[in-house]
Amino acid sequence: MKRTIFILLLGLQIISASGQAYLRGEVTDEKNAPLANAKIVLHSTGYVYSSGSSGLFGITIPNRMDSITVSMDGYQSVSMEVDASVYQSIVMKPLFTSVTVQKNKLLSFTRNLQLQERQNWRPFGESYSSLVENEFVNTTKYPETGFAIRIDKASYSNVRRFLNMNMKVPPDAVRAEELLSYFNFGYTPPEEDSVFAFRSFLSDCPWNPANQLFFLNVSAKKIPPEKIPASNLVFLIDISGSMDMPNRLPLLKSAFKLLVDNLREQDTISIVVYGSAVGVWLTPTSGKEKIKIRKAIEDLQPGGSTPGQSGILSAYRLAKSQFIVGGNNRVILATDGDFNVGQTTEEELDNLITRHQESGIYLTCLGVGMGNYKDSKLEVLAKKGNGNFSYLDNEQEAEKVLVKELTQTLYTVADDAYLNIKFNDRYTKAYRLIGYDNKLKALSDSVTAIEGGEVGSGYSLTALFEIVSATGVTDTVSAAAGYSEPASSADPMLGMVTVHYRLPADSVLRCSNFRAPATPGTFSTLSASFRFAASVALFASLLKESKYVKTSNWNEVSAIANQSYDMNDPIQTEFITMIDKAKKIYAKSRRKRSKQR
């Protein structure tokens, strides 16, 4: 009964009550195939509607006679006068323009890798992108490498969810860079006229004493509170039947109500829903009307299929109609990612979001749920939408993402950001980037471009490389690699770091440079925060069952973390308990395998 009432209420909110006539029709192509999600603009009101999954539409209009414009990507727009007493059959002709094939871009790139067949592990029907771990690379042959700078942290809370369920973590669910991004390992304010600040350290490697560990910390500037731009936020909320569980829609409702507390009068909030129906649940509303916004969120009820494609298109249209020049224009998609109507595959969603990349509208994805959670789909959406991605496994995580780290999550200081480092082979024989592993599908493409990421206000990234130190390398070889400093240099350089980026709403490609010193120290003398970062990297490698840490064990992770964590930091304290849980789960699994042999 509640769901029936909810559907009726949604229909009443989507359709204006003042309408006096009802216009019906269908949108098809020249072969009479229905066209879903065609944009229909009613000229008398300026309201925007869309055709349904079967190309059908029904619109309440003020008078019997009106006019409309129908448009859709890849087709010629149609403008026409309409009579509500006549059924409208609208045929759209293709533009006949060439279609650009979207290739999978890389998260990091150094050289071609030999691809191997892999067995995907998909627990409960969940989906994760198959990843290929970065290998050691010969510096003389391949001195330069790079990776995308992203603020995604979804992998950490998802890993926590599995461990809290006393289950092993699917290896492809472990993205080491996202586990590292979850923590704050120290922040260095950039110079006043700079976007980024850098720090680096070189020490022995705790899990392989024969090698070195290179820490690179990059901090983005903070936007002063008085300069935070006005926001145009569209909450795109999945209210389909699959969301009818405590850790899904109810969790999201709590999360969005937390975000509402931080809204200002100059911020505009809209809500688009998809499930039993697709439409605008809350029209654009000032952030000062918190009671109205909270009530709209609380009234949401789950039911129906999951037409994610229709919801995404509706949300982008609404965001575009309220676009704030120089503001923070963003769609926040909240779902378990289980799209089952319309475009549903990663490739289809990739193409769908790519069309909107240049719109100036960012996309933040909030994943929830378990069992049919589609991590791979949400990751694609966030990356192609120039946005970020988090997984909410509890209300505390929602508060962390949408309250405590709000500026990092929602306010951008750099776009299309990626980092290059050119190692000096005088000091580095080989190197391995920890994390930033590429998708198997991306590596099979011929494209070698890195897909840059969005960087939020005050974000701090720490990347780790395992390095094989060079010995006896001649000055001639170093010069051939592009370096000319003498071996006796007082300021030896391990490598030149360059961050490439664009400012928001700016097409100019900019860069910031940093000379990383080649001065090694001991791991024990590193600051506690970087020793703790090493424990997180080792933790991720053990979860992935990496071939590079076969001689390491959970006791080593525990020892490093316990000697370096901040007891006053609840997030770091929680990590200690996660190590203990993982140790028991994976030790139990190892004993089972031994008995089977």
Side-chain angles (χ1 to χ4, degrees):
M1 183 64 180
K2 282 186 176 179
R3 291 181 181 175
T4 302
I5 295 172
F6 172 73
I7 295 170
L8 290 173
L9 286 172
L10 179 58
L12 289 174
Q13 286 207 230
I14 296 172
I15 300 173
S16 171
S18 62
Q20 298 175 349
Y22 193 62
L23 177 69
R24 297 175 60 249
E26 62 181 338
V27 184
T28 65
D29 62 15
E30 291 181 310
K31 296 180 180 179
N32 205 35
L35 295 178
N37 298 301
K39 178 181 175 183
I40 305 169
V41 179
L42 184 65
H43 293 170
S44 63
T45 62
Y47 291 166
V48 180
Y49 303 88
S50 60
S51 58
S53 57
S54 300
L56 302 176
F57 64 88
I59 302 171
T60 300
I61 61 178
N63 302 294
R64 186 172 67 87
M65 301 298 296
D66 211 318
S67 59
I68 61 174
T69 294
V70 184
S71 60
M72 188 172 184
D73 290 342
Y75 293 87
Q76 298 176 29
S77 296
V78 176
S79 295
M80 56 189 294
E81 293 185 350
V82 291
D83 183 341
S85 65
V86 178
Y87 186 84
Q88 305 295 322
S89 296
I90 302 170
V91 179
M92 303 193 71
K93 297 180 180 180
L95 288 171
F96 298 107
T97 56
S98 59
V99 177
T100 301
V101 177
Q102 290 296 326
K103 290 287 188 178
N104 292 296
K105 291 187 178 181
L106 301 175
L107 196 59
S108 60
F109 177 72
T110 306
R111 64 188 179 98
N112 294 326
L113 298 175
Q114 295 297 317
L115 304 184
Q116 299 177 349
E117 291 294 325
R118 298 190 50 180
Q119 185 69 33
N120 286 346
W121 180 9
R122 297 191 174 189
F124 320 121
E126 298 186 9
S127 67
Y128 299 91
S129 298
S130 296
L131 303 177
V132 178
E133 188 172 21
N134 289 320
E135 300 178 355
F136 276 102
V137 178
N138 182 292
T139 308
T140 302
K141 291 184 177 179
Y142 309 102
E144 190 169 353
T145 191
F147 59 87
I149 300 178
R150 307 196 65 87
I151 64 174
D152 299 338
K153 305 174 184 180
S155 182
Y156 183 91
S157 47
N158 194 27
V159 164
R160 178 174 60 202
R161 189 243 310 186
F162 277 101
L163 296 179
N164 285 338
M165 295 169 60
N166 292 313
M167 292 181 61
K168 291 184 67 176
V169 184
D172 285 330
V174 183
R175 296 185 287 271
E177 70 277 9
E178 293 184 22
L179 270 67
L180 286 164
S181 290
Y182 196 82
F183 298 93
N184 179 10
F185 300 117
Y187 178 80
T188 303
E191 298 292 331
E192 191 170 335
D193 58 346
S194 301
V195 176
F196 296 101
F198 303 88
R199 289 187 299 161
S200 71
F201 301 92
L202 185 64
S203 77
D204 52 295
C205 179
W207 55 83
N208 190 348
N211 290 345
Q212 294 178 315
L213 203 55
F214 173 55
F215 300 80
L216 177 62
N217 179 258
V218 183
S219 299
K221 73 174 184 179
K222 292 181 179 178
I223 303 176
E226 67 276 8
K227 293 185 178 180
I228 291 177
S231 291
N232 162 33
L233 304 179
V234 178
F235 298 167
L236 174 56
I237 305 177
D238 181 352
I239 58 167
S240 64
S242 66
M243 298 294 288
D244 192 10
M245 293 183 70
N247 64 348
R248 298 185 190 184
L249 186 57
L251 176 58
L252 287 175
K253 288 161 72 170
S254 297
F256 279 118
K257 284 189 284 188
L258 288 171
L259 174 57
V260 169
D261 292 336
N262 286 278
L263 297 176
R264 304 160 299 171
E265 182 176 350
Q266 61 266 41
D267 298 327
T268 300
I269 302 298
S270 312
I271 300 177
V272 172
V273 297
Y274 63 95
S276 311
V278 179
V280 179
W281 181 244
L282 177 70
T283 55
T285 302
S286 168
K288 70 177 181 180
E289 298 187 62
K290 292 181 171 53
I291 295 175
K292 178 181 177 181
I293 299 171
R294 288 196 196 97
K295 185 178 186 307
I297 294 170
E298 189 56 43
D299 287 344
L300 296 171
Q301 297 293 333
S305 57
T306 317
Q309 173 196 2
S310 299
I312 291 169
L313 291 172
S314 296
Y316 269 98
R317 286 171 186 160
L318 185 56
K320 190 174 181 180
S321 72
Q322 301 296 313
F323 192 86
I324 300 174
V325 177
N328 174 35
N329 300 278
R330 185 176 299 267
V331 173
I332 303 179
L333 168 61
T335 177
D336 58 11
D338 189 21
F339 303 155
N340 54 32
V341 174
Q343 296 175 344
T344 61
T345 68
E346 278 88 349
E347 291 79 7
E348 289 173 331
L349 294 170
D350 182 330
N351 291 330
L352 173 65
I353 293 298
T354 300
R355 299 177 201 163
H356 298 279
Q357 269 190 340
E358 305 303 321
S359 66
I361 299 170
Y362 297 92
L363 177 66
T364 289
C365 292
L366 304 178
V368 294
M370 57 173 287
N372 63 339
Y373 168 59
K374 308 301 181 188
D375 179 276
S376 56
K377 292 182 180 179
L378 293 180
E379 184 188 12
V380 164
L381 288 171
K383 288 179 179 177
K384 293 299 180 182
N386 291 335
N388 51 69
F389 172 33
S390 297
Y391 176 80
L392 309 182
D393 58 334
N394 54 46
E395 193 165 331
Q396 289 71 35
E397 183 65 16
E399 183 178 14
K400 179 178 185 289
V401 172
L402 295 176
V403 178
K404 295 178 181 177
E405 298 176 352
L406 181 68
T407 55
Q408 291 182 22
T409 306
L410 297 186
Y411 302 109
T412 304
V413 296
D415 282 334
D416 301 324
Y418 63 94
L419 183 147
N420 270 31
I421 178 168
K422 188 171 185 180
F423 283 103
N424 186 346
D425 65 359
R426 179 178 296 130
Y427 303 104
T428 304
K429 182 178 181 180
Y431 59 88
R432 176 176 74 89
L433 173 60
I434 299 175
Y436 300 93
D437 299 326
N438 285 300
K439 295 180 184 179
L440 196 63
K441 287 183 180 179
L443 285 170
S444 65
D445 278 345
S446 60
V447 171
T448 57
I450 295 175
E451 186 164 42
E454 169 201 29
V455 181
S457 171
Y459 174 65
S460 182
L461 169 149
T462 297
L464 275 70
F465 290 83
E466 185 176 351
I467 287 178
V468 179
S469 182
T471 55
V473 180
T474 65
D475 290 347
T476 304
V477 174
S478 294
Y483 295 96
S484 58
E485 63 176 2
S488 60
S489 170
D491 184 23
M493 182 174 67
L494 185 74
M496 175 63 75
V497 178
T498 303
V499 171
H500 303 268
Y501 65 97
R502 291 181 173 87
L503 296 177
D506 190 353
S507 61
V508 178
L509 184 64
R510 304 167 187 266
C511 63
S512 294
N513 298 313
F514 169 69
R515 289 170 54 92
T519 308
T522 61
F523 184 77
S524 59
T525 59
L526 284 174
S527 67
S529 62
F530 284 101
R531 283 183 283 129
F532 187 79
S535 74
V536 176
L538 180 55
F539 175 78
S541 298
L542 288 174
L543 288 177
K544 289 183 71 70
E545 300 180 335
S546 168
K547 62 183 178 182
Y548 298 110
V549 295
K550 284 187 175 180
T551 60
S552 299
N553 56 55
W554 294 102
N555 289 332
E556 292 179 45
V557 181
S558 182
I560 298 171
N562 275 286
Q563 292 168 12
S564 58
Y565 84 103
D566 181 354
M567 290 183 289
N568 296 317
D569 185 337
I571 296 176
Q572 292 194 17
T573 302
E574 179 194 55
F575 180 69
I576 301 297
T577 65
M578 287 173 61
I579 295 174
D580 293 337
K581 289 179 181 178
K583 179 180 177 181
K584 293 176 183 177
I585 294 168
Y586 283 78
K588 188 186 300 181
S589 175
R590 191 177 297 112
R591 285 195 296 270
K592 284 183 180 179
R593 288 200 300 269
S594 298
K595 288 181 180 179
Q596 290 171 355
R597 291 177 189 148

